[in-house]
Amino acid sequence: MILDTLLINARLMLPQQGLTYGTLGIREGKIAVIAQSETQLSARETIDCQGLWVLPGVIDPHVHFGFGSPETDFLTESRSAALGGTTSVLSFHRSADIRSSFDAVRALMESQSCIDVGFHFGITSHLHVETLQTISHQFGVSSYKLYMMYRGAAGLAQGFTDIDDGLLYAALLATKKIPGAILGVHCENTEVIPVLREPLRAAGRDDLQAWNEQSPDFLEAENVHRVCYFAAKTGTPVNIVHLSSREALNEVRRHRQLSNTPIYVESCPHYLFLNDRSAAGSYAKVNPPIRSQEDVEALWQGVSDGSITTLGSDHVPRKRVTKDKDIWSASNGFPGTGMILPLMLHEGFHRRGVSLQRIVELTASNPAHIYRMPTKGSLTLGKDADLVIVDPDLEKIVEPAALGSYADYSPYEGMKIRGWPIRTLVRGRTVMLNGAICEQASHLSAGQYIHRSPGDMTENGEIK
């Protein structure tokens, strides 16, 4: 058998084995061979990894493509992702009626993206709940998001009138009826936030810490409790997305002891790397807020003990001009999908001693399992050849222009980070090499839609 591509002199991150010297062969976009280094094989292209690591590509389960430049985000942001070793993303799609809006979004993605893309559906109305079975099977989407932060006045400002506890409970019931489906929830009690916010504004506060104080940890934890309590009553798997605080994480731990209903936790690199005294200021404004250093340490404990299940970037690619305002007026969110792996290598592996296996679980194998992507997430025969060749000792200064995003800033700007990918392959195609998108990939989309059919699963989590 002649392979398409052969990776030699590699340290392969193999499941249950860790870094193992070997050779990996790719044929027709799949991992076709995993062998010892001395095995003689033939291929049309040979890549000498020179002893560097080969990891499964990062799966970022939380991006907002289309919130920067709706017409071109899949073009720019997919390439920004690939620059940092992200080979698959799940982006959010919401509209008044998803039945009539989704085909156009999928077509736009397929015409622009250089990496593989799947979607979550945003649930903001009872119509979405009533049509959930239909749109899930029609479009191959098995995960959804409900926004507790858009209750009441906060929701009306966005045009949402249905978001309350009734919609949450109805969405849980509807999700439960779809085999393998999961409901993600943004947890913040926005009804209390104005009570805390107005005195801060009246006092002239204009700092990142004030943004934390106007939506403190207990408002996140209170919503986490509500979601987990209702999830247990309905028996519906839930995912607490972008969890940011120790108190909220402890609430998850408490509910896990009370119920066998699956409760997954997604956190984000920015909650592990930045605190509310960060010099990034309004560039680090996000919901939920960047928290205290005590919360940062607590979340790292959650990484180590398995309480945190996945990591997502919550990537939003807006321009710097939307951030160059006071803390109350600046836009929410920031870019980050291409920074997940570098930040976890720098802060997790090098500085805190988090095992590489744990980092791979958080960034690849766990999201592949939870979000029903059986061909992705590990270096295993037959899976997609989504690979990242990593130089763990390469140091770079974060420069927004080098990140390739529509956004022209980064909350990590100027920081020296140790550990970067030098080559990214998506289903065997080299998309990024030495910090630049390859010429062919810069003009060719070639990204595929990740169709996740709702249905039964086998005992090991694969789709039947």
Side-chain angles (χ1 to χ4, degrees):
M1 175 177 65
I2 298 178
L3 299 163
D4 297 323
T5 306
L6 188 64
L7 277 63
I8 63 172
N9 298 324
R11 297 185 69 191
L12 306 172
M13 187 61 192
L14 301 178
Q16 287 79 54
Q17 298 181 51
L19 288 172
T20 304
Y21 281 100
T23 296
L24 185 146
I26 302 168
R27 190 167 185 267
E28 296 180 352
K30 302 287 187 180
I31 299 174
V33 174
I34 297 175
Q36 296 180 343
S37 296
E38 59 269 19
T39 305
Q40 297 298 311
L41 298 166
S42 299
R44 296 180 179 88
E45 177 189 24
T46 298
I47 299 172
D48 187 345
C49 297
Q50 299 181 341
L52 297 178
W53 299 350
V54 178
L55 312 181
V58 172
I59 299 171
D60 185 348
H62 195 139
V63 304
H64 296 277
F65 290 2
F67 280 67
S69 172
E71 296 79 16
T72 60
D73 268 4
F74 286 110
L75 180 71
T76 58
E77 307 318 294
S78 67
R79 285 151 183 80
S80 180
L83 285 168
T86 297
T87 54
S88 299
V89 298
L90 296 177
S91 188
F92 290 90
H93 175 67
R94 68 188 191 211
S95 71
D97 191 340
I98 293 169
R99 293 171 298 180
S100 59
S101 65
F102 184 70
D103 281 335
V105 173
R106 174 177 170 173
L108 182 64
M109 179 280 295
E110 291 177 327
S111 71
Q112 293 185 352
S113 180
C114 70
I115 65 173
D116 293 348
V117 179
F119 290 86
H120 311 283
F121 288 149
I123 297 178
T124 60
S125 71
H126 285 284
L127 175 64
H128 294 147
V129 172
E130 294 161 5
T131 59
L132 201 60
Q133 284 267 5
T134 298
I135 59 179
S136 296
H137 288 87
Q138 180 177 351
F139 300 123
V141 173
S142 58
S143 53
Y144 327 106
K145 182 180 178 183
L146 191 141
Y147 306 79
M148 296 288 278
M149 69 170 295
Y150 288 141
R151 293 166 58 99
L156 289 175
Q158 299 290 328
F160 303 137
T161 60
D162 291 1
I163 299 177
D164 56 18
D165 287 350
L167 184 66
L168 169 63
Y169 195 80
L172 286 165
L173 290 174
T175 301
K176 173 65 175 178
K177 295 177 182 177
I178 302 172
I182 182 171
L183 179 66
V185 187
H186 180 142
C187 294
E188 274 185 288
N189 188 323
T190 55
E191 293 173 350
V192 177
I193 286 176
V195 178
L196 301 171
R197 178 195 299 140
E198 295 316 312
L200 293 167
R201 296 187 69 169
R205 292 285 299 278
D206 179 19
D207 56 274
L208 192 60
Q209 197 169 9
W211 189 249
N212 180 13
E213 292 173 16
Q214 63 100 41
S215 182
D217 53 2
F218 68 86
L219 296 187
E220 181 180 30
E222 184 273 337
N223 264 202
V224 168
H225 160 70
R226 185 176 306 182
V227 170
C228 293
Y229 186 80
F230 283 175
K233 294 302 181 183
T234 59
T236 307
V238 291
N239 185 26
I240 308 301
V241 299
H242 48 48
L243 184 140
S244 66
S245 66
R246 172 175 53 190
E247 188 158 349
L249 184 57
N250 283 340
E251 196 64 22
V252 170
R253 291 185 175 116
R254 184 174 73 85
H255 277 277
R256 282 173 173 164
Q257 293 177 341
L258 299 173
S259 170
N260 292 324
T261 301
I263 305 170
Y264 301 106
V265 171
E266 168 200 283
S267 192
C268 306
H270 46 270
Y271 297 126
L272 296 166
F273 196 72
L274 302 172
N275 63 42
D276 62 1
R277 298 179 185 273
S278 168
S282 63
Y283 296 129
K285 179 184 175 183
V286 67
N287 288 325
I290 300 296
R291 304 293 190 185
S292 69
Q293 187 60 34
E294 289 76 14
D295 288 298
V296 172
E297 299 303 325
L299 294 185
W300 277 110
Q301 181 60 43
V303 164
S304 297
D305 66 21
S307 299
I308 293 173
T309 322
T310 62
L311 294 175
S313 68
D314 202 1
H315 178 91
V316 180
R318 297 191 180 100
K319 290 292 189 183
R320 183 185 296 264
V321 66
T322 70
K323 288 287 197 178
D324 286 334
K325 303 176 181 181
D326 64 68
I327 198 67
W328 312 107
S329 304
S331 65
N332 288 306
F334 42 75
T337 186
M339 291 299 299
I340 294 176
L341 185 57
L343 289 174
M344 290 305 294
L345 292 174
H346 175 84
E347 184 69 14
F349 181 81
H350 288 301
R351 296 195 62 204
R352 295 176 179 267
V354 177
S355 72
L356 188 59
Q357 178 178 337
R358 181 71 183 122
I359 291 172
V360 168
E361 288 171 356
L362 288 162
T363 61
S365 56
N366 284 356
H369 172 76
I370 293 167
Y371 291 113
R372 306 173 60 76
M373 294 180 275
T375 66
K376 299 187 180 295
S378 67
L379 304 190
T380 304
L381 291 176
K383 291 195 181 256
D384 290 347
D386 295 345
L387 312 173
V388 185
I389 301 175
V390 171
D391 183 343
D393 295 315
L394 177 62
E395 292 187 336
K396 291 185 182 180
I397 303 294
V398 178
E399 299 177 357
L403 299 179
S405 174
Y406 171 79
D408 52 359
Y409 73 96
S410 167
Y412 315 110
E413 185 171 351
M415 298 180 183
K416 181 184 288 187
I417 302 298
R418 179 186 176 196
W420 291 84
I422 64 166
R423 191 173 193 135
T424 302
L425 295 89
V426 179
R427 283 176 287 102
R429 299 176 296 109
T430 295
V431 176
M432 182 276 288
L433 182 61
N434 295 327
I437 297 298
C438 298
E439 181 66 22
Q440 184 180 22
S442 67
H443 303 294
L444 180 68
S445 58
Q448 291 186 355
Y449 174 60
I450 303 173
H451 188 283
R452 299 174 295 128
S453 297
D456 295 331
M457 301 184 76
T458 63
E459 291 183 0
N460 66 359
E462 302 297 318
I463 299 174
K464 287 182 179 178

